[in-house]
Amino acid sequence: MRKNNIVARKKCKYKITKYSSHNYSVSPNLINRNFTVDAANVCWVSDISYISTSEGWLYLCIILDLFYRMIVGRSMASHIRADLAIDALTIAVTHRKPNP
């Protein structure tokens, strides 16, 4: 292989999921790294992570209540479309029943 300059093609270990070139509005940063909260259901934060499995990528969206530091909603899917986050938020609202 070395003699003929043949090399193995490496598979990418990560998947780019952030698309910066869009025309959507960007929400303001209301928390500004202040993670101290005085009551439950006042401030929820969320993140999406991806996990490589033998069947492909698995996307996990969690919603965390900053007061209790516990997950109040979660959703998993094989895609990273908006309904992944919407499902996690629906679960959180259904179980925690926050004030409007």
Side-chain angles (χ1 to χ4, degrees):
M1 287 177 62
R2 190 175 297 140
K3 195 183 222 181
N4 293 316
N5 290 329
I6 299 172
V7 293
R9 198 172 357 160
K10 295 179 182 177
K11 199 172 186 182
C12 185
K13 291 187 178 184
Y14 64 92
K15 186 173 183 178
I16 298 173
T17 58
K18 182 177 181 181
Y19 302 105
S20 300
S21 57
H22 56 72
N23 294 327
Y24 302 118
S25 62
V26 177
S27 298
N29 183 359
L30 301 176
I31 297 176
N32 201 23
R33 302 196 59 80
N34 180 14
F35 299 115
T36 306
V37 182
D38 296 330
N41 297 328
V42 171
C43 186
W44 291 350
V45 294
S46 179
D47 194 18
I48 296 175
S49 184
Y50 52 96
I51 304 150
S52 178
T53 69
S54 61
E55 297 179 9
W57 291 103
L58 176 68
Y59 296 93
L60 170 67
C61 178
I62 61 108
I63 298 179
L64 181 88
D65 187 331
L66 282 181
F67 182 74
Y68 290 117
R69 306 276 183 186
M70 88 179 182
I71 294 173
V72 294
R74 47 125 180 77
S75 178
M76 293 182 283
S78 60
H79 58 78
I80 193 168
R81 294 189 293 267
D83 56 334
L84 175 69
I86 292 169
D87 290 345
L89 184 59
T90 302
I91 290 169
V93 169
T94 302
H95 285 85
R96 302 295 296 182
K97 297 179 178 47
N99 292 331

